[in-house]
Amino acid sequence: MEKALDDITVLDLGQVIAMPYCTMLLADLGARVIKVESRAQARERLSLGIKRVRDGVEERVPVHQYRERNKQAITLDLKSPRGVELFKELVRRADVVAENFSVGTMDRLGLGYDTLKQINPRLIYASVTAFGQYGPYAHWRGYDILAQAISGYMSITGFPDQPPTRSGQSISDYYAGMLCAFSIVSALHFRQRTGKGQHIDMALLDGLVTALDNLGERYTVGGEILTRKGNISFAGSSSGVYATTDGYVAIAAGSSDLVWRRFCQIIGKPELAEDPKFATTAARRTNQAETAAIIQGWTDGRTKARVVNTLAEGGVPAAPVNNVAEMVADPQIQAREMFVELEHPVYGPVKITGTPLKLSETPGRVERLAPMPGEHNEAVFVGMLGYTKEDLGRWQNEGVV
């Protein structure tokens, strides 16, 4: 089966989350992604391996890093003149350079966009930073939690009587990674039409602002400043999380008046669908606490499975609140192959996150676990650039690769 991006070569300088996730999506779709890292960066990546016990022996498993799957890996010292020259040779053969260093770092290395586009005018050069390439915060060191703070995301996350709360994972990194991958594919399409490369300037902060639904407009247009509401929807009145005998369930019983009527029938209280206090979305919003009490009164004494199955069969949106172990075992997760097990020659079977990219003709694939540092030095420097094994050995002795 063909792969959507199997004619694209990406030089991936990404670290940590945002850019590695971006290039993972491209690699899942068949792009040749070459991870470029220094020996020090490679050692740090290996140190992040997850601990496990296999056959009675404790080990770290660095190949679990799903954001590096399907990629090739080379080591290269970009602070050395020879390393810079070798990288430039790769740029001549590449379609995309992807990096998420602090603003100005690539320029200081002599590898900024203005320099590399002279070598390859068709180059797509993608940069992800916390705050973008310009603006008063551009040169700040930034991480996901800062983007969540500045964007207002933390101000709407959590419960009203608690402090602003960070999302459970680095959500701005993943938004930026997805938006950057989309931008790269868009730039490649534009290049196909015009022959022109370009620079992509992606910011964690920008991506998160666009993910606030219409809360920004509710202020800029209506003057309303929304704040934390816990598990209650800003727009609705009875979407929330409710306790059961063995955990919690998420229920959207009042997402529409039709769904509310279904819910009332299921719980044996059809009269609530006609009660003026609950008959409309606006009424349920006004009487939110009473609405929630009705739903909670029904879930009390029932198991998660019973609540979810009863509501789902009756056309009312509901789902179990899973922990991670329950999520991995969830039949829908398994049906969608969102966890796949691959065999590694050193670490044996390793199960990692699958691909969400389900295309009918060119689906995303998970074919290889994360590479070991420098695993593809020979394939790239000898096979791709045409140097000899002796050259490679010399550069290794000199610390260039």
Side-chain angles (χ1 to χ4, degrees):
M1 184 176 289
E2 288 186 297
K3 299 177 182 178
L5 300 178
D6 59 7
D7 58 341
I8 300 300
T9 296
V10 180
L11 301 180
D12 178 15
L13 294 166
Q15 303 295 314
V16 194
I17 298 177
M19 191 57 82
Y21 184 70
C22 165
T23 52
M24 179 208 79
L25 295 172
L26 303 177
D28 281 5
L29 290 173
R32 181 184 189 182
V33 177
I34 302 171
K35 183 171 184 61
V36 183
E37 56 191 346
S38 68
R39 290 182 182 181
Q41 290 168 331
R43 285 193 296 270
E44 182 178 1
R45 179 164 68 89
L46 288 182
S47 73
L48 299 175
I50 292 176
K51 286 184 180 180
R52 75 172 179 187
V53 176
R54 181 166 62 118
D55 299 330
V57 178
E58 184 179 284
E59 62 181 356
R60 283 191 176 272
V61 186
V63 296
H64 82 280
Q65 295 163 333
Y66 77 94
R67 292 186 296 270
E68 308 296 358
R69 68 183 180 217
N70 290 332
K71 300 179 184 180
Q72 296 181 314
I74 63 172
T75 48
L76 189 61
D77 181 9
L78 295 180
K79 294 181 180 179
S80 71
R82 189 64 182 122
V84 169
E85 288 306 313
L86 286 169
F87 188 80
K88 288 180 178 179
E89 289 190 48
L90 289 170
V91 168
R92 292 187 178 95
R93 294 164 172 79
D95 300 284
V96 179
V97 167
E99 60 91 12
N100 61 333
F101 293 120
S102 299
V103 172
T105 298
M106 290 292 280
D107 287 321
R108 289 191 295 273
L109 293 171
L111 297 172
Y113 175 62
D114 288 340
T115 298
L116 297 189
K117 74 177 182 180
Q118 302 302 319
I119 297 171
N120 182 354
R122 293 170 54 83
L123 182 69
I124 310 302
Y125 189 109
S127 301
V128 172
T129 56
F131 307 117
Q133 298 293 311
Y134 56 88
Y137 306 157
H139 291 278
W140 286 11
R141 292 298 297 261
Y143 295 94
D144 165 76
I145 193 170
L146 304 188
Q148 290 197 36
I150 296 172
S151 68
Y153 200 92
M154 288 175 66
S155 77
I156 61 168
T157 305
F159 287 84
D161 58 345
Q162 296 294 319
T165 303
R166 175 186 176 273
S167 171
Q169 45 79 278
S170 299
I171 191 167
S172 69
D173 283 290
Y174 289 96
Y175 274 127
M178 287 187 284
L179 292 170
C180 190
F182 173 72
S183 298
I184 288 170
V185 172
S186 299
L188 289 168
H189 181 66
F190 178 75
R191 188 186 71 176
Q192 185 177 24
R193 288 174 20 219
T194 67
K196 296 178 181 179
Q198 58 183 303
H199 185 202
I200 296 166
D201 171 11
M202 185 63 59
L204 306 189
L205 178 59
D206 296 355
L208 204 51
V209 168
T210 67
L212 290 176
D213 196 15
N214 68 343
L215 302 192
E217 285 72 20
R218 288 176 73 159
Y219 169 70
T220 61
V221 177
E224 184 180 15
I225 301 176
L226 294 171
T227 187
R228 297 173 295 290
K229 296 187 69 173
N231 291 314
I232 301 169
S233 167
F234 285 112
S237 55
S238 49
S239 296
V241 174
Y242 300 91
T244 67
T245 59
D246 59 349
Y248 294 88
V249 291
I251 300 174
S255 53
S256 71
D257 293 343
L258 173 60
V259 171
W260 176 249
R261 287 196 293 272
R262 290 173 180 167
F263 176 77
C264 295
Q265 289 288 342
I266 289 170
I267 68 173
K269 296 183 178 181
E271 67 278 7
L272 291 176
E274 308 301 327
D275 189 321
K277 292 174 63 177
F278 309 110
T280 66
T281 298
R284 292 190 296 276
R285 185 181 299 119
T286 300
N287 299 286
Q288 188 279 324
E290 290 181 73
T291 304
I294 292 169
I295 300 171
Q296 184 64 72
W298 181 75
T299 63
D300 281 341
R302 291 175 169 82
T303 64
K304 286 196 298 184
R306 184 181 176 191
V307 168
V308 170
N309 291 336
T310 300
L311 293 181
E313 290 172 3
V316 176
V321 177
N322 289 334
N323 62 30
V324 175
E326 292 167 331
M327 177 272 292
V328 173
D330 191 288
Q332 184 65 21
I333 298 294
Q334 294 190 357
R336 299 288 290 177
E337 297 182 301
M338 285 311 301
F339 282 87
V340 295
E341 187 170 278
L342 282 77
E343 188 74 22
H344 190 271
V346 175
Y347 298 101
V350 179
K351 183 177 289 188
I352 64 169
T353 306
T355 181
L357 305 173
K358 270 71 172 182
L359 288 74
S360 62
E361 296 298 325
T362 56
R365 302 177 187 177
V366 181
E367 298 178 334
R368 300 186 304 277
L369 292 165
M372 299 300 286
E375 182 177 332
H376 300 93
N377 280 353
E378 184 174 327
V380 172
F381 294 116
V382 178
M384 184 176 176
L385 295 185
Y387 287 100
T388 66
K389 293 182 181 179
E390 289 72 23
D391 292 326
L392 181 58
R394 185 176 69 256
W395 295 331
Q396 288 172 333
N397 290 333
E398 294 171 350
V400 174
V401 301

